[in-house]
Amino acid sequence: MNEESIKFLLESVHKGSCSPEDALTKLKDLPFEDLGFARLDHHRALRTGQSEVIFCQGKQPDHIISILNHLGAKAENVLATRLDLENANKILPYFPNAEYDSLARCLLLRPLAEPSIAGKILIMTAGTADLPVAQEAWVTARYMGHEVDTLFDVGVAGIHRLLGQRELMDRAEVLIVVAGMEGALASVVGGLVEQPVIAVPTSVGYGAHFQGLAALLSMLNSCASGIGVVNIDNGFGAASLASAIIRRITRDK
Amino acid sequence: MNEESIKFLLESVHKGSCSPEDALTKLKDLPFEDLGFARLDHHRALRTGQSEVIFCQGKQPDHIISILNHLGAKAENVLATRLDLENANKILPYFPNAEYDSLARCLLLRPLAEPSIAGKILIMTAGTADLPVAQEAWVTARYMGHEVDTLFDVGVAGIHRLLGQRELMDRAEVLIVVAGMEGALASVVGGLVEQPVIAVPTSVGYGAHFQGLAALLSMLNSCASGIGVVNIDNGFGAASLASAIIRRITRDK
Amino acid sequence: MNEESIKFLLESVHKGSCSPEDALTKLKDLPFEDLGFARLDHHRALRTGQSEVIFCQGKQPDHIISILNHLGAKAENVLATRLDLENANKILPYFPNAEYDSLARCLLLRPLAEPSIAGKILIMTAGTADLPVAQEAWVTARYMGHEVDTLFDVGVAGIHRLLGQRELMDRAEVLIVVAGMEGALASVVGGLVEQPVIAVPTSVGYGAHFQGLAALLSMLNSCASGIGVVNIDNGFGAASLASAIIRRITRDK
Amino acid sequence: MNEESIKFLLESVHKGSCSPEDALTKLKDLPFEDLGFARLDHHRALRTGQSEVIFCQGKQPDHIISILNHLGAKAENVLATRLDLENANKILPYFPNAEYDSLARCLLLRPLAEPSIAGKILIMTAGTADLPVAQEAWVTARYMGHEVDTLFDVGVAGIHRLLGQRELMDRAEVLIVVAGMEGALASVVGGLVEQPVIAVPTSVGYGAHFQGLAALLSMLNSCASGIGVVNIDNGFGAASLASAIIRRITRDK
Amino acid sequence: MNEESIKFLLESVHKGSCSPEDALTKLKDLPFEDLGFARLDHHRALRTGQSEVIFCQGKQPDHIISILNHLGAKAENVLATRLDLENANKILPYFPNAEYDSLARCLLLRPLAEPSIAGKILIMTAGTADLPVAQEAWVTARYMGHEVDTLFDVGVAGIHRLLGQRELMDRAEVLIVVAGMEGALASVVGGLVEQPVIAVPTSVGYGAHFQGLAALLSMLNSCASGIGVVNIDNGFGAASLASAIIRRITRDK
Amino acid sequence: MNEESIKFLLESVHKGSCSPEDALTKLKDLPFEDLGFARLDHHRALRTGQSEVIFCQGKQPDHIISILNHLGAKAENVLATRLDLENANKILPYFPNAEYDSLARCLLLRPLAEPSIAGKILIMTAGTADLPVAQEAWVTARYMGHEVDTLFDVGVAGIHRLLGQRELMDRAEVLIVVAGMEGALASVVGGLVEQPVIAVPTSVGYGAHFQGLAALLSMLNSCASGIGVVNIDNGFGAASLASAIIRRITRDK
Amino acid sequence: MNEESIKFLLESVHKGSCSPEDALTKLKDLPFEDLGFARLDHHRALRTGQSEVIFCQGKQPDHIISILNHLGAKAENVLATRLDLENANKILPYFPNAEYDSLARCLLLRPLAEPSIAGKILIMTAGTADLPVAQEAWVTARYMGHEVDTLFDVGVAGIHRLLGQRELMDRAEVLIVVAGMEGALASVVGGLVEQPVIAVPTSVGYGAHFQGLAALLSMLNSCASGIGVVNIDNGFGAASLASAIIRRITRDK
Amino acid sequence: MNEESIKFLLESVHKGSCSPEDALTKLKDLPFEDLGFARLDHHRALRTGQSEVIFCQGKQPDHIISILNHLGAKAENVLATRLDLENANKILPYFPNAEYDSLARCLLLRPLAEPSIAGKILIMTAGTADLPVAQEAWVTARYMGHEVDTLFDVGVAGIHRLLGQRELMDRAEVLIVVAGMEGALASVVGGLVEQPVIAVPTSVGYGAHFQGLAALLSMLNSCASGIGVVNIDNGFGAASLASAIIRRITRDK
């Protein structure tokens, strides 16, 4: 429902092919679908350039099935995140083509297509325990059409592991840094590269980590600049931001 | 000190025009300058694409003067942030061409040049009390060579003020949303646009705002995607990230 | 035990129909019932206009059964909140007419009566994961005799879903806004309507949401006015406040 | 800009008295005024039933003067809150009819009118140190046209001071309870009355009070129901909510 | 207004010497005095065994003067706590017999009387920086009629300083332990003595002390038993509790 | 190992009946028993007037059994607290006379003796969900030889339930107030009585209660004086402090 | 890859026995091994003097098995920490010589060797519930080749248990103090000894302990000096630091 | 008062040259000096190997003067820390040989002696704003007799500045890393060296730094091992720990 279509509507009123009452109704009739418990936002893709994604945490399995059916009928593919194994097993029988990634806790209604958008995203982790979050970012980025490189387990306690990978970093348009514990990797990477860096704190750590708070504060206070932070463990959010940046680069070419 | 120059160095060793000892020394001799109390990082511009900026909080005025002198001798311009009026008044007499912006609490060693990089940044605020942070972002972005539009006082309590400004939002490559209180503007903007959104929580609020914590948590938990968050009141950081994104767009064209 | 009855008592003493000693005893003899482990407050309905509700969290099933029996003997209906499925299954066999709502985690001793008090409450949610809290509010409001409308899944990331529902909002006397994540819906609704808004933060979110703290702080710091906040996930409290407001409106007519 | 005016606009297009282009422009032309640094929202009164109030904290005195001039030209009266004495003294010379209340830290552009709306608000405090917040609520409520009673220094450590004031409580449509320290007054009042109670935690206390956090948490966790909480020290917010409730009662009569 | 006086009142009604209406009024007419901004609770001494104390923080000097005048007219002496030097200097000219203790930040309307209640209180501090809080406790305890011993600067980093003072500890009925930093003195003393220990965390410390939070949590988690904790820096509260305990001991003898 | 025994020892050295070397050894040989994993402190009863109590949380069942055996061989009775049902069932078969109280989560090695110390403790709760903590206090107080009265479910939302119980309160030497949610009962009781009040915050509540933090802060900030606070849910600690106070009263008679 | 080897490499280039291209490759070819999901850092032992240790929390069992295989092929022994019983049981069948310590939650690939480094570490605990953390420190220290003494259950509530153990403390080069609750043992020990003290807060406690925060803050704020703090429950980190200190002592002899 | 002197005392009792009563007194008569408000601990140097240091924060200037006089009469030199300029100016006139370091906020009673203990401490900072804390560490370490190297402004955003300084790091026995913001320098250094690392978080940062909390949590959660953390801004504590470690190394040689 963009400016063009409103102009068109107003011209129809002007020409008499649409009554004022109908125009009023249409102005309100925006493209979302009411399932009673959920309002699907089909035109989000038009508005923000991103497909609808189902955030499953706290949702009932039957609600998720219903939403998948409705979205799946209109969209090429659908991504469901934060879906734990127990619920996935209740949902998968209804969608024979769906694929579930237990590490990422993500379900895709149909297999991933090949990347369709130029510009690489590099996903880095500080440790192997950060992998689930990195994998959520990977699935999301691929679902949104992007090429993704990965560089895992390059935490700053062994900084030469990172310094030897300069070339891989240079190839990327955007870098996603996933790190728990003290989250220092974001600062070190931010000091090395000119590209935008998206920092994802993870809840990996113990004691005074406070479920990711330590890494989150660390990343927000980075002494390097050019870093944007997303929520703790939010691999999906990091990939969405990376996608928004790369689509901007692509669009303007 | 990039791969090319190391290769060149190694070839000099191979050819005998440089001894191994000298090569070792040169490998360590990276381009920073030691002032005793500070190490200036002249090649940061090469490495991260950004000029050196002086973060003045906690620094002595005479240290700042010394750093400004050294950086100013080599760079086109220098930006000093978080410089309060009292210290600025001690420093300005030494730099007749310098300009001090008391709202942004920023000093520029020389006047701002015209924007040299295509691609607009739109800086938005929820309220007028967020202006100092927005101004720091504005000065930083302009110092880094970017065009900047502004849209102030469009908080969500009067959401039509925002909805009427669709066109301005569409013109920008990146949007910086500066908001205190509940910081909801970031979510609403994030739901409306396809461009990357950089959210800056401000310490504007009282009571249970806890100096910006409320807005920070709000932005990190945004239900919209495509949003990267920087530290509370960090207008500089937001502009740096915006600059990194736009330079990427420009570079690839 | 109101002023009238005290006056009556004092007049009985004056007339000699009641001895001072008995009067003293009666003055202390307030209408609550002692079960040993609990003191039921039968005259709360008179005092605050609300029926007794059993908050079950942390109570033993046999205690709940005993309280239900005692309250049920005197009241038209009884509501038990925060009752999980496991305990509900232990309690239901003793009350054949009782109904358990597993989404709301509420038990009603007898079926809901038709609404008896004019003035609608509108319960809104930002997402579908906020439904359990909304449902607790719904059951409570209906139990207290009110008419309730609902408007679910109208979060600010797709703000047109909300803007198209103006009429529904206008019909309500009070609006209850249930939202997790950044809780921005409360601010947007508060800026659109003239009615009182009751904001309920939910614990829906992850990472830096801190079990509802993010949404709570957001709502307390709303830039819109006319908003009262209740505890995290406290659908019952929101409905009680809505009920107090509407009964005031009704009473004065 | 309500449904009626849109309908009228569409009919003008239909009749040809307005071109589609003009209609599009008008649809966007909502009634706010752009001062550059601030966007005044003149139709907020229509939309939410409340007059524009200037929240002065963090705003420059000259900005406040400018906003007062613009709002004052169109509105009957204007209220400025969170204005400290120092800034008030800079502003008052420009507005000879203005009155400044140093306890409430509020400025009124013109003298208060007599109450015009039926239905009393009772403002209570636990201690005398809570008076500034109570006074902000008092000024706001009177500015919004309401009758206000007060009952100060009735904290629960001397509960008979409260219990003897039943009649005053009964006279009010809404009660505002302002309390610092442990904020227990809200719970005790909430358990005594049937009217809605608005609880305002104050930052009065020391040590583990954490600037109002103790009272805030206490009020959010009240064992009494029918209580809505506003931000710490937010007397303005409490009065706004009380006003919304009472205007609802009045409207429906 | 105890049971005896109510009985007497009811008998007067019975005998006809008091009308029911007058009795009702008297039942409500509890002994507090209304100054408009404050309600003085003259019968608190009867009810809780403690004299009225003025907590001055957040109160206006003229309010404090007024309260001192009213209370001073009826009580033997009055204590004002949390009175900073600046306000004390405004108040002292009105009360020629008053004494101000700048370390304790306390004002006494008249000189301290000799101790009148048997049973010593021992006030201990971990360091010399804890002295202001200890002094507030000392003044309060003496004002309440108690004998006080002191033992300062016996922190656990030099534990022999404490162990050599066994006799002094044994002489006390109650021990007040005032400590900042890690507050460990409370645990060590609690493990050594059989008397009740009152622990007062102070805000003395820096960095991760968080204004007394570290000492407070430490004392609440003491591995020793028989310890009651009061608020951070609350020397007055500690002395009040000590007084309540000792008056109990005295009373029962 | 008190002063007397040291004096005796030194006199033995003086008389030659004990060599200096043996004396040195004995001076170090204090009456605790080393089990390898635990050091039992048999003379704590002498030193602090309290019997050894086993805090079971985090201890292995076989360690608890071993400690019970060693302590049980020397003491009249032993109390084990924070023992959950699962571990209790592993331990009970070894101690046929032991009794386990599942509400209090306490085990007593032998049946409770009749109270042996004069002076009542009154344990009060705000709600029925606070009972487990109250019960831990009850068992501890009885184990320590005290008489205990109880007054349950007298929360401030129905304050008349409390006010009618004046006599019961007056009979106690010490009052223990157990309350979750906003913990306001402590303040109300503290304002009513002259005896020392021990406040126990409980973790009963939800949302912004933060596992007892709300009630804890509330109690620490009580506007009433004469209140000492113990850790969240620490019924044992409250009873220990009450015992220390009462034994002091008894001792001095 | 130290300075010597780089010099050697450069000389090879100088002599022509190594081409510049190969040298560049070798400069980057640092000794870590890429398993895809993890990069093993074989030369950490050279760089920091410590063997690789596997932190298992958050890692998949098959990943741990793979890492154990790779590390075990090159190292004398391997330590895996934070391995819970469930995962240990999945891993042990693959490594017949491995030993699992369920108290410490540690697995050793091969049996512990005899201590090979002079200089004792003394590990102390305040209570028996601190044993799991102390045991993790014990296993780590022994794995790293050190002699370890232990002194358990010497908390400050019975301070004589500690004071009698002076000799044991004097024998150690470094003391590790493991304590939960208020963590006061670290301060008392720090005040008694001249050796470095490493303080380990544990999550043992309840209520306002906040999973170790109370002990952590207590230790950071110790009034004794010469104390370094590690993360909550981080027995491994304490032993690593102790090892670094002792190896320094040994090395310099 | 060590074991030797107790043995000597006991032998005097044995020989009859000292009565048991006198011995008891002497056993209690430990070498501290009572100033009334402070107890000076002259034998701390013997006990912990460290000289008495005056922590001035919160102490009155005249108290500091008195303590300086008493300590200065017996010790070679005295260090006073946390002494702000205003108080220093009140104290300096009394001590003509004293020197005040305004950056470190430290006063030395007499000039620093040359280093007397072998083994270098390297003090590093991430930024120039960390200098005051580093300087406090420098003064303390030199006061305690140590050689100190410094390496300032080597934060991880320009990591080559650090990597080029390997030799300086290798020369130190202990490294003190002072860093604010995200504190990542501690992790990077900890991963590079084999020596013990002492991490000092500073309060340098803004917004979500929370006065040093971000850096503190970061350092406690470091992915590198061999790191001990001290309190925020605690340069004194870091130097004390470094001193304890080096004196151990020296002693054992």
Side-chain angles (χ1 to χ4, degrees), chain B residues 155-182:
Chain B
V156 300
I159 202 156
H160 62 290
R161 294 183 295 188
L162 173 66
L163 299 180
Q165 300 291 339
R166 186 71 211 216
E167 204 181 342
L168 197 60
M169 289 189 264
D170 286 348
R171 274 208 299 266
E173 294 289 338
V174 182
L175 293 91
I176 293 175
V177 176
V178 182
M181 296 191 164
E182 88 284 58

Side-chain angles (χ1 to χ4, degrees), chain A:
Chain A
M1 202 53 150
N2 56 16
E3 203 171 313
E4 289 315 301
S5 55
I6 298 178
K7 216 185 249 172
F8 179 83
L9 182 68
L10 290 168
E11 272 159 14
S12 306
V13 175
H14 183 57
K15 292 176 198 154
S17 61
C18 173
S19 74
E21 289 72 25
D22 287 358
L24 184 61
T25 305
K26 280 186 180 152
L27 270 171
K28 283 181 175 170
D29 184 23
L30 291 156
F32 60 80
E33 187 173 351
D34 193 342
L35 303 187
F37 55 87
R39 277 156 209 281
L40 304 182
D41 189 355
H42 294 301
H43 84 144
R44 181 175 290 180
L46 300 170
R47 199 171 66 243
T48 69
Q50 297 190 346
S51 313
E52 179 82 27
V53 174
I54 311 173
F55 172 68
C56 298
Q57 192 174 297
K59 290 202 178 72
Q60 313 291 322
D62 51 338
H63 284 180
I64 298 169
I65 291 167
S66 170
I67 300 175
L68 278 170
N69 272 321
H70 280 82
L71 287 176
K74 298 191 180 162
E76 230 171 279
N77 201 350
V78 180
L79 171 65
T81 65
R82 301 283 153 149
L83 179 67
D84 58 35
L85 185 58
E86 192 187 334
N87 281 336
N89 284 335
K90 291 181 186 156
I91 292 170
L92 281 167
Y94 294 83
F95 303 98
N97 293 323
E99 291 175 355
Y100 180 68
D101 182 325
S102 64
L103 185 62
R105 293 193 294 149
C106 287
L107 178 148
L108 282 162
L109 196 61
R110 294 170 193 126
L112 278 176
E114 284 304 295
S116 58
I117 304 174
K120 274 183 187 296
I121 297 169
L122 174 63
I123 301 177
M124 309 168 74
T125 72
T128 54
D130 301 315
L131 284 179
V133 178
Q135 187 70 3
E136 190 189 69
W138 188 90
V139 171
T140 304
R142 286 294 313 278
Y143 167 69
M144 291 179 171
H146 301 283
E147 291 179 79
V148 187
D149 276 348
T150 58
L151 182 54
F152 293 155
D153 202 21
V154 289
V156 301
I159 203 156
H160 61 289
R161 294 183 295 188
L162 174 66
L163 299 179
Q165 300 290 340
R166 186 71 211 215
E167 204 180 339
L168 197 60
M169 290 190 264
D170 286 349
R171 275 209 297 269
E173 294 290 337
V174 182
L175 294 91
I176 293 175
V177 176
V178 181
M181 297 191 163
E182 88 285 57
L185 184 60
S187 292
V188 173
V189 170
L192 288 173
V193 304
E194 64 178 35
Q195 298 98 313
V197 172
I198 302 169
V200 193
T202 73
S203 53
V204 173
Y206 54 83
H209 199 257
F210 299 121
Q211 285 76 53
L213 181 64
L216 171 65
L217 294 182
S218 183
M219 287 168 168
L220 286 167
N221 285 285
S222 176
C223 56
S225 56
I227 298 179
V229 182
V230 298
N231 202 346
I232 297 164
D233 291 338
N234 193 358
F236 164 73
S240 298
L241 177 53
S243 175
I245 294 171
I246 288 184
R247 278 179 286 117
R248 207 68 202 167
I249 296 171
T250 308
R251 189 193 101 126
D252 289 332
K253 269 192 249 194

Side-chain angles (χ1 to χ4, degrees), chain D residues 12-203:
Chain D
S12 306
V13 174
H14 182 59
K15 291 175 197 154
S17 61
C18 174
S19 74
E21 289 72 26
D22 287 358
L24 184 61
T25 305
K26 277 186 183 155
L27 270 172
K28 286 182 174 169
D29 184 26
L30 291 156
F32 59 81
E33 186 174 354
D34 192 342
L35 303 186
F37 57 88
R39 274 156 212 281
L40 305 182
D41 189 355
H42 293 302
H43 83 147
R44 179 175 293 180
L46 299 171
R47 199 172 65 244
T48 69
Q50 297 190 346
S51 313
E52 180 84 27
V53 174
I54 310 173
F55 173 68
C56 297
Q57 191 176 301
K59 290 201 177 72
Q60 313 290 324
D62 51 339
H63 284 181
I64 299 169
I65 291 167
S66 171
I67 300 174
L68 278 169
N69 272 320
H70 280 81
L71 288 178
K74 298 188 181 166
E76 229 170 279
N77 200 351
V78 182
L79 170 65
T81 65
R82 300 282 154 148
L83 180 66
D84 59 34
L85 185 57
E86 192 187 335
N87 281 336
N89 285 334
K90 292 181 185 156
I91 293 170
L92 281 166
Y94 295 83
F95 302 97
N97 292 325
E99 290 175 356
Y100 180 68
D101 181 325
S102 64
L103 185 62
R105 292 192 295 146
C106 287
L107 179 149
L108 281 161
L109 196 60
R110 296 170 191 123
L112 277 177
E114 283 305 295
S116 58
I117 305 174
K120 274 184 187 294
I121 297 169
L122 174 63
I123 300 177
M124 309 168 74
T125 72
T128 54
D130 302 314
L131 283 179
V133 177
Q135 186 70 4
E136 190 188 69
W138 187 91
V139 171
T140 303
R142 285 294 313 277
Y143 167 70
M144 290 179 172
H146 300 283
E147 290 180 80
V148 187
D149 275 349
T150 60
L151 181 53
F152 293 155
D153 203 20
V154 288
V156 300
I159 202 156
H160 61 289
R161 294 183 295 187
L162 173 66
L163 299 180
Q165 300 290 339
R166 186 71 213 215
E167 203 181 342
L168 197 60
M169 289 189 264
D170 286 348
R171 274 207 299 266
E173 294 289 337
V174 182
L175 294 91
I176 293 176
V177 176
V178 181
M181 296 191 166
E182 89 284 58
L185 184 59
S187 291
V188 173
V189 170
L192 288 173
V193 304
E194 64 177 36
Q195 299 99 312
V197 173
I198 301 169
V200 193
T202 73
S203 53

Side-chain angles (χ1 to χ4, degrees), chain C residues 58-78:
Chain C
K59 290 201 179 72
Q60 312 291 323
D62 50 339
H63 285 180
I64 298 169
I65 290 167
S66 170
I67 300 175
L68 278 170
N69 272 320
H70 281 81
L71 288 176
K74 298 190 182 164
E76 229 171 280
N77 200 351
V78 182

